[in-house]
Amino acid sequence: MWIADTYRSGVGQVQSQTTLALVSLLMLFDTAFLGLTGWMFVIPSLIFVMAGLLHRPLLLNGWFWLGIAALATARILYLWHDVDNNGFIYFYWLWILVIAHYVDEDGFKNDIVQFNARYFLVFIMLLAVVRKVTSGTYLDGSFFELVMLTDERFRGFLTLFGVDQAVLSGGSLAIKLLKNPYVAVTDNTVLLGTNAYIRFLAKLVTWYDLLIQLLIGAAFLIRRPSADIIGHIALLVFIFTAYFAAPVIGFSWILAIMGIALAKKPYPNIAMVYLLSFGVMTMYEVPWQAWVT
Amino acid sequence: MMSRKGLRLPLILIVPVFAALVFARQVYLQHANGLSLWRGGGMGMFAGIGSPSHRFLKIYLTEGDLPPEPVTRLTRGQNVHYLRAVAEPTQANLAALGRAVADTSWLRRDTDISRRMDSTGKILGPMERQYKVLVADGPRAAGEDEAVPVSVRIEYWENAYDPATGRLSASLVKSLTYRP
């Protein structure tokens, strides 16, 4: 019975404005620790996180969110060359929270948050599909093949799928050799140890990534309850699978925040799964890759 | 606090419209300035080869009659310029890096680490000339570059991958020589 009571209490919590604000704040914590460079951004970020956690009424204060949004804006302007997509999405999300906290009516607040959560889920997914289709190096699988051979973050995932460590170990070194002015590589070309299996895995991941993002974007664009449920399920599958292979935790969190914002009133159980994904994504940060490689 | 009905639509749409403008700007800068697909808010991460990790710069410093030497040990401030130039290799960004390197005094250390390698990683032998390693030694003294002419050549390279052959190749896309 206590499990059911705890769950019902959790559902009530996830529907509250405070929870949405709290997870958005935790995103700042993750960004400060894992993603930010420059003490001028890390230290104020951590101060905001501590303040929000220690004095909860701040989470419902527009000035608090304005301060964080201003910090994120300064970071984008100064460190634009180093800011990933999730940094931009989080920046947009912060200004949405600022605007939502400055309006009077609760109904209007919800309209702002929900419209923008849907808009940005469609924006992120469908524009990502457009960029993939038009990039010239995505659809043939060459992009993911290169990533698998050279990006250390994928090594554990590929080892689980039976790819030989010896094949993977040379990829990142190859890039360093090409960049190194103290090494003259013949024709500035290195041979990566690819094979038919890696090529197959790369094509599989290529099409999975493209199609699931297309499904998520299209489902939320339609704006029907049945399509929304499909969109939420696909988004959750995407979060749990894509970020297992490449733990870019910041992006998974921002997608989950938007999922909560959209699902919390009509589908509170789905919102609870998004909330659960925060914990699972954090567990993905456990260095399991070092154990299997 | 705002509650007038006239502000309803603008308040809902202001951030989405801004995000769309940022996206359009990224697409424009990608084509006009070579901005990386993975930067600038264009939703291009994991969309293709074009991440900053597959772009790099080779920097060579020439002082007076001495031969050019590679600069690899950048200071923190120079590294910011490096990252900006790699993300968006405009003349201005490359020149800013060149200026930062030229404004620094460098100590030269002999090494024997320069090597030739084939595409499989097999070492073929030493390079014809052994490059020195340069270590930053604070700002260059005022007027020093007039006594000893300084120039910085910056080469911008991009990687490309051929899945048919499994070969990763680096190509020189552009270069700039900065003279104070």
Side-chain angles (χ1 to χ4, degrees), chain A residues 81 104 111 131 135 145 191, chain B residues 1 8 30 39 47 119 161:
Chain A
H81 53 277
D104 292 325
D111 285 348
R131 298 321 295 267
S135 82
E145 187 175 329
L191 194 60
Chain B
M1 295 289 186
R8 199 175 178 92
Q30 185 186 339
R39 292 288 183 263
S119 61
Y161 178 65

Side-chain angles (χ1 to χ4, degrees), chain A residues 146 178-179 188, chain B residues 30 33-37 49-58 85-89 155-161 168-174:
Chain A
L146 179 63
L178 287 175
K179 291 181 179 181
N188 293 299
Chain B
Q30 185 186 339
N33 292 351
L35 177 64
S36 169
L37 179 64
I49 298 171
S51 69
S53 61
H54 285 290
R55 300 171 158 206
F56 57 94
L57 304 175
K58 290 189 180 181
V86 159
E88 189 178 16
E155 299 175 352
Y156 167 69
W157 294 71
E158 285 181 1
N159 286 344
Y161 178 65
L168 179 68
S169 302
S171 301
L172 177 63
V173 176
K174 63 166 77 170

Side-chain angles (χ1 to χ4, degrees), chain A residues 92-104:
Chain A
Y92 300 141
W93 184 249
L94 288 170
W95 282 104
I96 291 164
L97 292 182
V98 169
I99 294 168
H101 280 96
Y102 271 91
V103 301
D104 292 325

Side-chain angles (χ1 to χ4, degrees), chain B residues 3-19:
Chain B
S3 59
R4 286 175 291 171
K5 286 190 177 171
L7 284 175
R8 199 175 178 92
L9 200 58
L11 286 176
I12 290 176
L13 293 181
I14 185 170
V15 177
V17 167
F18 182 75

Side-chain angles (χ1 to χ4, degrees), chain A:
Chain A
M1 281 302 290
W2 67 267
I3 294 175
D5 289 340
T6 305
Y7 184 78
R8 272 192 288 272
S9 167
V11 167
Q13 284 291 320
V14 83
Q15 289 180 317
S16 77
Q17 202 173 338
T18 307
T19 298
L20 190 63
L22 192 58
V23 295
S24 301
L25 186 70
L26 288 176
M27 176 80 194
L28 181 64
F29 178 81
D30 162 74
T31 307
F33 264 120
L34 299 180
L36 276 184
T37 52
W39 62 267
M40 66 287 254
F41 299 111
V42 173
I43 291 175
S45 296
L46 293 175
I47 290 172
F48 273 114
V49 170
M50 284 191 292
L53 291 176
L54 292 173
H55 188 60
R56 289 287 191 93
L58 279 175
L59 297 178
L60 301 178
N61 185 307
W63 289 105
F64 178 75
W65 290 104
L66 181 62
I68 300 177
L71 185 65
T73 306
R75 181 190 166 219
I76 290 218
L77 290 174
Y78 182 68
L79 291 176
W80 61 268
H81 53 277
D82 210 22
V83 177
D84 291 340
N85 280 340
N86 52 300
F88 278 86
I89 300 299
Y90 187 50
F91 157 75
Y92 300 141
W93 184 249
L94 288 170
W95 282 104
I96 291 164
L97 292 182
V98 169
I99 294 168
H101 280 96
Y102 271 91
V103 301
D104 292 325
E105 313 143 31
D106 281 348
F108 191 15
K109 281 181 201 290
N110 282 329
D111 285 348
I112 290 171
V113 171
Q114 290 192 351
F115 175 86
N116 280 281
R118 181 183 296 277
Y119 173 91
F120 277 102
L121 284 172
V122 173
F123 178 90
I124 292 165
M125 294 299 170
L126 293 188
L127 287 182
V129 167
V130 168
R131 298 321 295 267
K132 286 171 163 66
V133 168
T134 57
S135 82
T137 54
Y138 186 86
L139 290 179
D140 65 354
S142 59
F143 165 70
F144 264 116
E145 187 175 329
L146 179 63
V147 165
M148 286 177 177
L149 291 167
T150 57
D151 192 330
E152 298 277 338
R153 291 176 297 182
F154 283 81
R155 188 180 289 195
F157 168 76
L158 291 169
T159 305
L160 283 179
F161 275 79
V163 176
D164 188 359
Q165 275 298 297
V167 168
L168 301 175
S169 59
S172 54
L173 178 61
I175 292 181
K176 288 176 186 164
L177 288 175
L178 287 175
K179 291 181 179 181
N180 190 339
Y182 295 97
V183 177
V185 181
T186 307
D187 296 328
N188 293 299
T189 298
V190 291
L191 194 60
L192 300 179
T194 192
N195 55 44
Y197 182 55
I198 292 174
R199 219 163 275 138
F200 164 73
L201 284 179
K203 286 228 166 92
L204 191 67
V205 171
T206 294
W207 285 99
Y208 168 72
D209 195 32
L210 183 76
L211 292 175
I212 197 165
Q213 288 186 323
L214 182 62
L215 176 63
I216 295 166
F220 285 123
L221 184 64
I222 291 171
R223 297 186 68 196
R224 294 248 190 282
S226 52
D228 277 1
I229 290 175
I230 292 171
H232 283 303
I233 292 171
L235 181 57
L236 283 164
V237 168
F238 179 72
I239 288 171
F240 282 112
T241 57
Y243 298 107
F244 175 72
V248 184
I249 191 173
F251 216 166
S252 69
W253 277 23
I254 194 66
L255 293 177
I257 287 169
M258 291 179 180
I260 290 174
L262 209 51
K264 63 180 183 157
K265 283 285 171 10
Y267 313 113
N269 294 326
I270 290 177
M272 285 291 283
V273 181
Y274 280 119
L275 201 59
L276 179 69
S277 77
F278 280 87
V280 175
M281 291 304 111
T282 307
M283 292 308 295
Y284 283 178
E285 293 288 321
V286 167
W288 63 270
Q289 304 217 19
W291 303 336
V292 301
T293 58

